[in-house]
Amino acid sequence: MERDKDGKFYIVDLKSGAVGDVTVESAKKNKQLAAYQLAMLENAFEDESLRGDVSGSSLLFLGGDAKGATERDQERIDQNQIKSELIESAQAMTAAEFVATQNKRCRTCAIKKICPIQPNGRTVLDGN
């Protein structure tokens, strides 16, 4: 966490890899960065010096072939919107049923062997 010229927190998430497929637009909607901002805005830290307003956040990619670091910014979040999305996600994940959806991260997913939407996957109830 850094402080900007107005004394607000600015969160920087250092990434050791290359920027990959993280575009300028996708960083603006990055849920991990939004969660960091939400934690600050909700005073999630016991240390009172880590409480205050947030001006934004960024992903700072240090790896890759570039001669310098690559940064992807996210403006200050809408605290109520992100909090609502987080609650909705938590409720969905703790429900009696959880719907798996295929996406671009499926190819590197650590649990695809047990995922029912994968050709080689199975349900948890299969027992194999």
Side-chain angles (χ1 to χ4, degrees):
M1 289 175 272
E2 300 177 351
R3 294 246 188 203
D4 66 14
K5 62 180 174 41
D6 298 321
K8 295 179 181 179
F9 285 103
Y10 189 82
I11 301 161
V12 179
D13 184 0
L14 301 174
K15 300 293 190 184
S16 59
V19 69
D21 63 349
V22 180
T23 65
V24 170
E25 286 304 310
S26 68
K28 291 177 183 179
K29 301 173 192 169
N30 184 283
K31 298 300 183 191
Q32 185 175 8
L33 285 179
Y36 293 155
Q37 288 193 52
L38 183 63
M40 292 297 301
L41 293 166
E42 293 284 322
N43 298 320
F45 301 100
E46 288 184 27
D47 185 340
E48 290 192 23
S49 69
L50 296 176
R51 295 185 181 173
D53 201 5
V54 176
S55 62
S57 54
S58 68
L59 299 167
L60 184 60
F61 294 90
L62 305 174
D65 296 331
K67 293 189 189 258
T70 302
E71 191 167 16
R72 298 286 190 252
D73 298 316
Q74 182 179 81
E75 293 181 4
R76 186 185 192 283
I77 61 165
D78 177 328
Q79 183 176 353
N80 292 328
Q81 177 189 344
I82 297 301
K83 189 174 182 178
S84 176
E85 288 176 14
L86 183 63
I87 290 168
E88 185 179 317
S89 293
Q91 288 171 338
M93 292 178 72
T94 58
E97 292 183 359
F98 185 80
V99 179
T101 56
Q102 200 159 12
N103 61 65
K104 65 182 178 182
R105 292 199 168 100
C106 286
R107 66 180 174 78
T108 59
C109 181
I111 62 167
K112 68 182 176 183
K113 289 182 180 180
I114 62 167
C115 182
I117 63 171
Q118 295 298 322
N120 61 340
R122 62 187 189 285
T123 68
V124 177
L125 300 176
D126 283 346
N128 295 325

